[in-house]
Amino acid sequence: MPQLRELLSYRPNELNFGTSGLRGLVSDMTDLECYINTAGFLTYLAGKQMLQPGGHVIIGGDLRPSTPRILRAVHRAIIDGGFVTEYQGLIPTPALAYYGFTQRAPSIMVTGSSIPADRNGIEFYLPDSEILKEHEAPIKASVTAVRNWLYSQDGTLTPFNNRGMLPPVELPVEQFEAREAYRFRYLSTFSVQALRGKMIIMYQHSAVGRDLLADLLRALGAEVINVGRSDAFVTVDSENVTAEDRDYFVRLAEQNHGLFAIVSTDGDSDRPLLIDEKGEFHSGDALGTIVAEWCQADYAVYPVSTNDAVDTYLTAHHVAYEHTKVGSPYVMAAMNKAIHSGRNRVVGWEPSGGFILGADIAMGGGLLKSLPTRDAFLPLLVAMLAAIGRDISVSELFDHLPRRFTQAGLIDNFPKEISQALLDAFKDDTPENRDELRYYFTDALGFSDIARVDTLDGIRIYFGNGDIAHFRPSNNAPQLRIYSVANSQARANEIVARSLNEGGVLRQMAANVVRS
């Protein structure tokens, strides 16, 4: 009896959890690999009594070319397990998750979020929350058990061919309850005339929520002009807004007299992009602060990579806060701890702008229901409504925040083993390591003495002149990311540019680590 593993004509590469969800190259995400991981997740749920035989599993995806095929593999694993697939179509991740939470049903989103189109991912959601780090190991153990069992089966009796692919299978008829529930979340909270008279540009590109967001803005009274729609997948990363992106936003502002704001999201529409009437992009750090203030938060949680102006602002407004590692599972875990300790208005966000609401909050004349996962629509709406409420422009809204400036960038296709070697080399804040870091971050590049080094997630270097340089590997893709904070936008941009360019700081550090 030839076992399935013996019949495969390729060497499988197993999917692993990244910052949030499973991530991998599309070429590695065979039907077999996606099926195994889905079946393992369902087995885990069943073992925890979170999914009963015949129970519904809600699925959806983004607009990547590989998404429909992966959705079909996920669907096949669901029905083979004796469960029912509820297909909610190509839909924003927070919309799918929100519907799953309201239905007390698990959900599965096929998306690579903001990583390039040659990669994709699968995000699992429990009936009441996203997957936290504490769930990953037992889910992986369940996946391993399914993998071992399936690989040992008679390969001629399984539906998979030698390339790990399934015969065509049709998805169930698309349903629309999830997007309607998500839309109603806002329309039941904010006035239908809240944005009346405001011209808003919707940069659509290939964001899966592009039509839903535009329709919602119109329902709230705005005049919406859609631009930049793309049939091909466009990688938009709210933590890597390029010079070309910024120039495009300025041109849009110049071409649309009377503009109130430009809005957009990343590919799966859980991370917002807000650009003011002058064409200036405002980072998720600052955007989250605006939303936290609007929500009258009593506790805020965000990653250590966030602009330190947020700490300054929250301290001045007597709001307690906590730093975490990068990734919504870490933020959610800290939020849950704060809620259990008695905090009532707990919020969280990431520098990407994805905002997490930990509890139902009365706001805008209604009751905004909690959504314990990243959301892009809420921060976009709140920022614009906050400006309207004060009768000021969006740019003026952000002017009242502490004037600290950020930039971010990345080196793509950066070997993970070299990233890890960099972290290992500087994991301890010792005088010797500070001297070594100063060898790269020199006076000639505008840096001063190092005040301290934070190694909670990556290497975050605080300089005496107020500069911050923070480098860390992405958990979703082979990328090395750099974040900067400075007292001017020009300086923040310069720190990132000098770190990323050929022969720059990060490449010098990497080369020396490899040689050593």
Side-chain angles (χ1 to χ4, degrees):
M1 179 185 71
Q3 296 182 348
L4 174 61
R5 180 63 184 86
E6 298 170 340
L7 294 181
L8 298 179
S9 60
Y10 65 98
R11 180 178 180 180
N13 286 321
E14 297 182 12
L15 295 178
N16 290 301
F17 282 101
T19 302
S20 179
L22 300 169
R23 294 288 187 269
L25 288 167
V26 171
S27 56
D28 292 334
M29 296 183 70
T30 61
D31 291 350
L32 176 58
E33 184 63 21
C34 297
Y35 181 103
I36 287 172
N37 280 272
T38 301
F41 173 58
L42 299 177
T43 301
Y44 168 81
L45 292 174
K48 295 292 184 179
Q49 302 299 308
M50 287 187 277
L51 181 62
Q52 302 301 319
H56 283 229
V57 180
I58 303 164
I59 70 171
D62 66 13
L63 296 176
R64 293 165 187 268
S66 58
T67 291
R69 175 187 62 79
I70 296 172
L71 278 169
R72 290 192 290 270
V74 169
H75 166 57
R76 180 65 186 264
I78 293 170
I79 59 175
D80 284 358
F83 309 107
V84 176
T85 300
E86 188 173 331
Y87 177 49
Q88 290 291 331
L90 304 181
I91 186 174
T93 296
L96 187 81
Y98 179 68
Y99 181 65
F101 299 154
T102 63
Q103 299 300 303
R104 295 294 175 182
S107 53
I108 301 175
M109 178 74 182
V110 175
T111 179
S113 191
S114 57
I115 59 179
D118 65 339
R119 301 177 175 93
N120 210 328
I122 303 175
E123 296 187 3
F124 298 136
Y125 288 86
L126 303 179
D128 59 354
S129 78
E130 68 175 62
I131 296 296
L132 303 182
K133 289 301 174 181
E134 67 193 61
H135 302 125
E136 291 181 5
I139 291 173
K140 285 294 290 182
S142 180
V143 169
T144 297
V146 170
R147 184 186 306 280
N148 292 338
W149 176 83
L150 189 54
Y151 277 179
S152 68
Q153 298 303 297
D154 183 344
T156 63
L157 299 180
T158 73
F160 300 96
N161 64 23
N162 66 346
R163 300 187 313 279
M165 306 306 271
L166 287 162
V169 57
E170 290 295 324
L171 286 169
V173 175
E174 181 179 353
Q175 305 296 314
F176 299 93
E177 291 89 349
R179 68 196 70 186
E180 289 303 318
Y182 187 55
R183 186 172 181 268
F184 183 74
R185 179 175 186 250
Y186 305 105
L187 293 180
S188 63
T189 302
F190 304 114
S191 165
V192 294
Q193 296 299 313
L195 298 174
R196 183 176 60 181
K198 302 302 181 183
M199 181 199 303
I200 299 172
I201 301 294
M202 173 67 203
Y203 172 39
Q204 293 198 308
H205 61 93
S206 55
V208 72
R210 57 193 179 185
D211 294 326
L212 185 55
L213 179 55
D215 290 345
L216 177 61
L217 295 173
R218 290 191 183 98
L220 292 173
E223 175 191 355
V224 180
I225 301 173
N226 293 327
V227 301
R229 190 181 184 92
S230 174
D231 292 331
F233 188 81
V234 177
T235 302
V236 172
D237 186 344
S238 58
E239 288 189 274
N240 187 31
V241 177
T242 65
E244 291 78 10
D245 293 330
R246 293 175 186 271
D247 289 343
Y248 177 57
F249 299 149
V250 170
R251 289 197 304 273
L252 286 176
E254 293 172 344
Q255 294 165 3
N256 292 274
H257 181 70
L259 172 70
F260 185 64
I262 302 168
V263 299
S264 189
T265 72
D266 69 335
D268 69 324
S269 295
D270 69 345
R271 304 178 186 194
L273 285 85
L274 178 68
I275 299 94
D276 67 28
E277 76 284 355
K278 299 176 182 178
E280 181 180 351
F281 166 75
H282 293 280
S283 70
D285 314 65
L287 184 56
T289 309
I290 296 290
V291 186
E293 182 179 26
W294 177 276
C295 293
Q296 299 179 323
D298 63 4
Y299 200 83
V301 181
Y302 43 87
V304 66
S305 56
T306 302
N307 187 334
D308 62 349
V310 177
D311 300 352
T312 301
Y313 189 82
L314 294 181
T315 298
H317 287 75
H318 310 291
V319 178
Y321 64 85
E322 179 178 349
H323 293 164
T324 70
K325 290 184 177 182
V326 175
S328 60
Y330 295 111
V331 175
M332 275 302 313
M335 290 177 65
N336 290 339
K337 185 177 178 180
I339 292 169
H340 292 153
S341 71
R343 298 284 185 175
N344 295 315
R345 302 176 77 89
V346 179
V347 301
W349 69 94
E350 297 184 292
S352 65
F355 198 86
I356 305 169
L357 191 62
D360 296 351
I361 290 182
M363 63 186 303
L367 183 68
L368 184 65
K369 304 295 288 184
S370 70
L371 178 49
T373 195
R374 284 189 304 260
D375 183 23
F377 285 19
L378 179 63
L380 293 173
L381 292 173
V382 164
M384 292 187 287
L385 293 174
I388 292 170
R390 299 181 186 184
D391 196 24
I392 57 177
S393 67
V394 172
S395 63
E396 290 171 327
L397 177 70
F398 285 88
D399 284 343
H400 84 282
L401 296 177
R403 301 299 286 171
R404 291 279 280 166
F405 300 84
T406 63
Q407 182 58 287
L410 58 86
I411 302 175
D412 204 3
N413 296 315
F414 194 89
K416 290 186 176 181
E417 59 273 17
I418 298 180
S419 292
Q420 188 58 51
L422 280 174
L423 299 187
D424 292 342
F426 298 103
K427 64 183 179 180
D428 299 315
D429 185 13
T430 63
E432 294 78 13
N433 278 348
R434 289 192 185 189
D435 289 343
E436 180 72 11
L437 288 169
R438 283 287 282 151
Y439 174 80
Y440 303 103
F441 295 92
T442 64
D443 291 334
L445 296 180
F447 296 100
S448 66
D449 289 341
I450 295 175
R452 64 187 178 95
V453 179
D454 190 321
T455 59
L456 175 61
D457 191 345
I459 309 297
R460 188 173 179 87
I461 311 164
Y462 295 80
F463 297 91
N465 64 355
D467 289 346
I468 299 175
H470 182 177
F471 60 91
R472 58 174 292 276
S474 169
N475 291 325
N476 291 332
Q479 298 169 333
L480 184 63
R481 289 184 177 268
I482 173 78
Y483 312 86
S484 67
V485 185
N487 290 322
S488 72
Q489 190 62 60
R491 177 56 180 163
N493 296 347
E494 181 183 25
I495 292 171
V496 170
R498 290 184 179 278
S499 298
L500 295 182
N501 60 23
E502 291 296 334
V505 171
L506 292 182
R507 297 181 194 274
Q508 290 180 41
M509 294 174 71
N512 287 341
V513 164
V514 170
R515 280 197 292 269
S516 64

